[in-house]
Amino acid sequence: MTQPAPDGSGPTVWTRFVAIGDSFTEGMCDDDPTFGHDGEYAGWADRLASHLSEIARAQGLDFGYANLAVRGRKLDDVVGPQLEDALALQPDLVSIVGGGNDILRPKADLDGLAARLEAAVARIRATGADVLMATPVDPADAPLVKATRGRAAIHSANIWSIARRNGAHVIDQWGLHALRDWRMWSEDRIHMTTEGHRRVALAALEALGHTPAETDWATPLEPAPPIGRREALQANAQWAKEYVGPWVHRRLTGRSSGDHRQAKRPDVTPLDRS
């Protein structure tokens, strides 16, 4: 379980980390093969677990990690079945990131989302475990998704308030301007690339009170060469055909990209990188 720093001060050392959430925490679209998932994605939570494992081992402690997140899940699933399964694993640190799929809906009940999220955070904290949350990324530059910016901003404010009231940690993705570079995002423009996930993991490590050895995570990339209007229009049309159309079809037919999928790491086990 949670261990204090050797001298009684400084960052906490965790030994049982469980991540719950949706596609962001599952790790789409980080296919870094060094994490060896047999076709599964890695992602920021796996990367954070790797850092936490190294910290625990340096203190002579065993470390275990589970990831119960599944793509397409809405908050009710995250704070429902996923949370129940997470608490049964007796973690000392839980990351809970949810609501992103909910706020894509124009009629999202933001107050209701906040209330359910806070109740979940309070339950976790009541066990003695620490909690890590994350704000959304500012979607100001995102095609179509930028229409949700107001809802995303309210959700971010609610997350900070929940964290303050319950003593939780927060990854400030909204303020991480480097993530607004489209080179941090995959072809679907919804999920991060390996580089985006790497930076979020390091931001998470700092949010937990540790100083990352890699210092470039918050530094934006050099500006990309501009693209022509015709090229941009072609890219947008291709994106709409390959990703927006199927997403709309799933919504209209009541299906999810995560239907019939199970958690990739359902048990707390050592994190072995290949």
Side-chain angles (χ1 to χ4, degrees):
M1 298 297 286
T2 303
Q3 301 289 327
D7 62 357
S9 63
T12 301
V13 179
W14 291 276
T15 61
R16 292 179 69 85
F17 170 35
V18 177
I20 60 177
D22 52 28
S23 59
F24 171 57
T25 300
E26 183 186 340
M28 294 177 71
C29 291
D30 179 8
D31 57 1
D32 185 346
T34 62
F35 281 81
H37 278 309
D38 295 329
E40 298 288 353
Y41 292 111
W44 72 270
D46 288 24
R47 294 172 178 277
L48 173 61
S50 181
H51 292 301
L52 296 177
S53 179
E54 291 176 3
I55 292 168
R57 285 202 310 270
Q59 302 300 324
L61 301 170
D62 293 330
F63 179 87
Y65 165 58
N67 188 321
L68 310 182
V70 177
R71 67 193 71 173
R73 296 295 193 258
K74 293 195 289 186
L75 186 65
D76 280 348
D77 186 80
V78 177
V79 303
Q82 285 189 30
L83 178 60
E84 298 300 331
D85 290 344
L87 293 178
L89 295 173
Q90 298 182 305
D92 57 14
L93 174 65
V94 177
S95 68
I96 175 169
V97 184
N101 289 315
D102 299 81
I103 63 177
L104 290 174
R105 277 72 174 172
K107 296 183 179 179
D109 178 3
L110 297 174
D111 291 338
L113 290 174
R116 293 195 296 278
L117 182 58
E118 181 154 22
V121 171
R123 280 193 64 193
I124 299 167
R125 293 292 290 137
T127 70
D130 288 306
V131 174
L132 176 65
M133 307 168 70
T135 72
V137 176
D138 185 350
D141 305 317
L144 296 183
V145 180
K146 65 184 178 183
T148 70
R149 193 185 190 206
R151 297 195 292 278
I154 293 171
H155 190 55
S156 293
N158 286 336
I159 286 169
W160 282 111
S161 296
I162 292 167
R164 176 182 55 79
R165 287 192 291 264
N166 293 276
H169 305 268
V170 178
I171 310 169
D172 184 15
Q173 292 193 109
W174 188 278
L176 187 51
H177 292 172
L179 294 180
R180 291 176 62 174
D181 188 316
W182 280 110
R183 288 168 290 181
M184 299 290 174
W185 298 84
S186 69
E187 291 182 353
D188 68 6
R189 305 184 185 182
I190 295 293
H191 303 105
M192 292 181 187
T193 60
T194 291
E195 177 62 12
H197 280 285
R198 182 187 74 86
R199 289 174 180 248
V200 172
L202 294 171
L205 189 63
E206 182 172 273
L208 290 171
H210 291 270
T211 302
E214 300 168 70
T215 60
D216 65 338
W217 57 272
T219 304
L221 298 175
E222 292 295 323
I227 63 173
R229 183 172 182 273
R230 181 178 179 180
E231 184 180 354
L233 289 173
Q234 290 176 334
N236 288 339
Q238 185 67 22
W239 169 69
K241 178 181 178 180
E242 290 190 21
Y243 299 104
V244 179
W247 183 87
V248 171
H249 182 70
R250 288 195 300 272
R251 298 287 80 73
L252 293 175
T253 56
R255 295 184 296 115
S256 166
S257 58
D259 286 347
H260 311 301
R261 292 193 65 87
Q262 303 297 319
K264 66 180 184 180
R265 293 182 63 95
D267 299 310
V268 173
T269 56
L271 185 72
D272 294 322
R273 291 183 59 177
S274 59

